[in-house]
């Protein structure tokens, strides 16, 4: 049994550096040297030494002693340079490729989205991704070399290294080494995650699930998927396939959404947000076939959500995907769940809507950078 | 930053005691003083002091120096007294109350089970529980005062204090302060758990799920339920209702099992193991209506299992309850899951069958005792 650092001075420096940097970020916009020493419990000379190193690394800047008029020498003030690096959150979906730019504090600085054909082959979708990112970086005058981490949300089962194990929604996506491909082009860490998993992280970060630890988010779309948080952490499942609920409908002998939402004898193609919104509007206006279509759609959604809720018992269900923007979806889901579940969770619509997946991908990139900059290296306690 | 014990001598004694006791139990049947010192890394006098305290507490006994013939003084040998206390695992089900007796090493020493009417009121079921336990203790010449912990598995949603929040399967069970009631009668810690949760713990301990960390166990019975392990730990859900899948059938607009398994126009009542086994046997013999009934039953089971698998993505599914004893259930579930799931888990029948719930309850009692006797009190590492 010994001290936490085992007397290793470089480890001690790393700990002190992380502690000071975290204190600075929490004290945004800036913090005095005196306060830093007080908050961190470190001596003033130690803090000064740490700040010097962080300044050389470009992560900290000294600011003017704004607003302080006291006798004696002016208080030195410092701030975390969130602009020292950039982060990207990218969504690669069946119909759309989008990217959001962030700084090292997770502030969102801009976004770009382009449509893509659902039938587009993988090369075309990847080229679209490159184009979206190039436009976003150029529009914000950001050098690609300043990217510290990139998060990506995409449908399907994704391996830890970012390889797409299985994806039925995007042509040519199964087997794609997406992580490796993007690490090469970005030259920084790239985290690839299932789209619904990214979306639930986003809702918990800045959306409808802030403060909730046990959350199920359903992305209702062409091929529905779900992302779950258990105890505040993503539940990916043993093989990364948790929440891949597309097959539930086969079990219920129900048709694909193009048929469910059709108001004629033909499937509703293309099935996009506008088309679905028109069906919902027609139902509200009293159209009988549209009303039936909406009822079928809601019944199916209830079935999906109920299966997840009965299996997982979350505190909160977030309805996302294009269903989130539709009036009259959340209330029936809420009502039906109360009938079927022994313990009924709260049900809310996504607060982020179409931005959820890219925002969650940005959160993944931010997590990566935070682990790098702010984490205090711990040591396992072992028995004596 | 300081040493792990913060210089507290009583904490240090407790740690040393737990470490020695754990080493002794792992070295069953006995261990020499020399080996104990070597394995624990403690000095010989420290080990001797600890053993003296454990001997006074009745947890350790000195054994003869069996089989060792070396010159000089004989090696002192010690053993963990697993007989120093007794544990109970109890199942309170719709049709049956059962109890299994164990020692402090988890060895099962005996079991007693009595039938009970599904319509029996709570008082009658509790009296049956008392009778089963009395018979078990008497038959094994065990004084009730030696019970160190009691585990109980029962259907429904159970609060952490052992109060049944909601139970549709047992009359009068909802709201019952089962834990408090049994703590009073047993005078020792009582852990109450959902029956399917207890069953999955048992299968992982000594059954079909040994070595698996991500497991879903389905108890197919009157009212189906599921217990899940995620990363080796029970997933109870936000309100303890995870796996309460009884309502899935309502969603699928399917009938109760009495109708599903009926080979006539009347429901199959009573629906017990014998009745169901007869239907399965008739199906195997070529009876058309029995064949249809089995097909309906399997379809329903597949639907339950698929919902859980799609939500959770386990590595292993264990089919338990009375379905486990039936030929021809596991194979169709396996085949159908492979059709519906992006990543198909292994599917096996329960190895413990009807003993799973009581065995899991015993495991809960053992966990409690192990936490008390063998746990090394840890301290959180906090930032400097």
């Amino acid at each position: 049994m010994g001290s936490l650092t085992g007397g290793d001075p470089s480890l001690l420096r790393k700990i002190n550096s992380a502690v000071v940097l975290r204190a600075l970020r929490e004290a945004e916009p800036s913090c005095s040297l005196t306060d830093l020493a007080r908050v961190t419990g470190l001596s003033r000379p130690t803090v000064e030494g740490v700040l010097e190193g962080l300044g050389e690394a470009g992560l900290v800047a000294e600011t003017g002693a704004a607003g302080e008029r006291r006798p004696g020498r002016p208080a030195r003030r410092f701030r975390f340079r969130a602009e020292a690096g950039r982060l990207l959150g990218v969504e690669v979906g069946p119909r759309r490729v989008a990217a959001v730019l962030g700084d090292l504090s997770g502030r969102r600085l801009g976004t770009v989205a382009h449509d893509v054909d659902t039938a587009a082959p993988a090369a075309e979708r990847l080229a679209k991704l490159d184009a979206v990112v190039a436009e976003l970086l150029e529009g914000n005058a950001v050098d690609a070399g300043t990217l510290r981490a990139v998060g990506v949300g995409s449908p399907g089962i994704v391996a830890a290294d970012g390889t797409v194990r299985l994806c039925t929604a995007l042509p040519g996506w199964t087997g794609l080494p997406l992580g490796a491909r993007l690490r090469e082009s970005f030259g920084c860490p790239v985290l690839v995650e299932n789209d619904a998993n990214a979306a639930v992280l986003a809702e918990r970060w800045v959306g409808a699930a802030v403060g909730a630890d046990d959350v199920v988010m359903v992305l209702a779309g062409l091929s529905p998927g779900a992302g779950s948080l258990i105890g505040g952490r993503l539940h990916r499942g043993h093989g990364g396939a948790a929440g891949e609920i597309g097959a539930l409908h086969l079990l219920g002998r129900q048709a694909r959404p193009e048929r469910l939402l059709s108001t004629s004898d033909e499937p509703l193609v293309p099935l996009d947000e506008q088309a679905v919104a028109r069906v919902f509007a027609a139902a509200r206006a009293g159209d009988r076939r549209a009303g039936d279509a909406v009822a079928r759609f809601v019944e199916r959604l209830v079935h999906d959500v109920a299966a997840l809720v009965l299996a997982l018992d979350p505190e909160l269900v977030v309805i996302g995907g294009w269903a989130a923007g539709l009036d009259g979806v959340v209330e029936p889901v809420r009502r039906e769940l109360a009938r079927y579940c022994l313990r009924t969770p709260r049900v809310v619509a996504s607060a982020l809507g179409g931005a959820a997946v890219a925002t969650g991908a940005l959160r993944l990139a931010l997590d990566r950078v935070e682990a790098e900059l702010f984490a205090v290296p711990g040591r396992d306690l072992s028995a004596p």
Side-chain angles (χ1 to χ4, degrees), chain A:
Chain A
M1 295 187 282
S3 77
L4 288 183
T5 58
D8 175 352
S10 80
L11 183 58
L12 190 60
R13 261 200 306 277
K14 189 156 166 48
I15 291 177
N16 290 343
S17 180
V19 166
V20 168
L21 205 54
R22 190 156 37 166
L24 265 181
R25 202 180 63 160
E26 278 163 14
E28 285 190 324
S30 72
C31 190
S32 72
L33 185 55
T34 310
D35 284 348
L36 272 179
R38 185 179 49 76
V39 167
T40 60
L42 298 171
S43 73
R44 201 176 162 99
T46 299
V47 173
E48 284 183 305
V50 165
L51 286 170
E52 194 173 326
L54 288 169
E56 281 162 15
L59 290 166
V60 162
E62 188 159 0
T63 65
E68 296 202 20
R69 295 178 175 282
R70 290 202 223 150
R73 61 175 182 178
R76 296 181 69 190
R77 298 191 68 85
F78 297 85
R79 68 174 183 87
F80 173 58
R81 291 188 69 240
E83 71 276 22
R86 294 287 182 246
L87 308 171
L88 277 183
V90 178
E91 173 188 10
V92 185
R95 292 224 155 68
R96 200 172 67 142
V97 175
V100 55
L101 180 71
D103 69 15
L104 296 187
S105 284
R107 269 182 293 264
R108 282 154 288 168
L109 308 170
T111 185
V112 165
H114 283 187
D115 286 348
V116 63
D117 196 283
T118 48
E124 186 180 330
R125 210 172 295 271
L126 289 168
K128 186 73 80 173
L129 190 165
D130 291 342
V132 163
V133 169
E135 185 181 328
L136 180 61
L137 295 181
E138 201 178 329
N140 288 273
V142 166
D143 186 304
T146 65
L147 291 175
R148 295 285 293 246
V150 175
V152 180
S154 182
I157 302 179
V158 183
D161 72 350
T163 299
V164 181
R165 273 208 203 118
L166 186 61
C167 177
T168 54
L170 308 186
W173 220 240
T174 297
L176 187 74
L178 186 57
R181 156 85 170 68
L182 297 179
R183 269 186 286 278
E184 197 179 326
S185 77
F186 288 120
C188 71
V190 174
L191 301 313
V192 186
E193 187 56 82
N194 170 272
D195 54 354
N197 288 355
V200 72
L201 289 175
E203 295 289 345
R204 183 161 185 262
W205 181 29
V206 288
V210 170
D213 280 342
D214 298 306
V215 184
V216 166
M217 175 154 188
V218 179
L219 280 188
L222 251 188
S223 166
S228 303
L229 298 176
I230 296 177
R233 298 179 51 170
L234 267 185
H235 173 66
R236 293 188 175 88
H238 190 71
E244 290 292 324
I245 53 173
L248 274 179
H249 317 301
L250 302 176
L251 290 162
R253 313 272 176 267
Q254 291 176 305
R256 293 182 57 80
E258 291 89 341
R259 288 227 168 260
L260 283 183
L261 282 164
S262 168
T263 54
S264 69
D265 294 331
E266 295 301 309
L268 184 64
V269 175
L271 182 77
D272 54 23
E273 285 182 60
Q274 289 76 34
V276 175
R278 274 194 298 274
V279 175
F280 270 71
R284 275 195 301 277
D287 182 275
R288 190 184 55 78
R289 291 195 73 163
D292 291 347
V294 168
R296 286 192 300 267
F297 173 80
V298 168
E299 185 188 350
R300 177 184 153 138
L301 187 61
V302 166
H303 190 271
D304 285 351
V305 174
L308 290 159
V309 166
L310 295 174
L312 288 163
D313 185 27
E315 64 184 303
L316 178 68
V317 172
V318 182
I319 309 286
W322 41 250
L326 305 170
D327 285 347
V329 167
V330 168
E331 193 45 47
V333 170
R334 200 177 276 155
R335 190 176 58 233
E336 292 291 293
L337 276 186
R339 285 180 54 203
Y340 294 127
C341 300
L342 291 189
R343 205 199 64 79
T344 311
R346 288 190 294 130
V347 182
V348 297
S350 158
L352 298 168
V357 177
T359 304
L362 181 68
R363 178 68 243 187
L364 287 167
L366 183 60
D367 284 344
R368 169 64 189 239
V369 163
E370 289 188 343
E372 213 176 281
L373 296 181
F374 304 115
V376 174
R379 292 205 159 182
D380 278 0
L381 272 174
S382 52

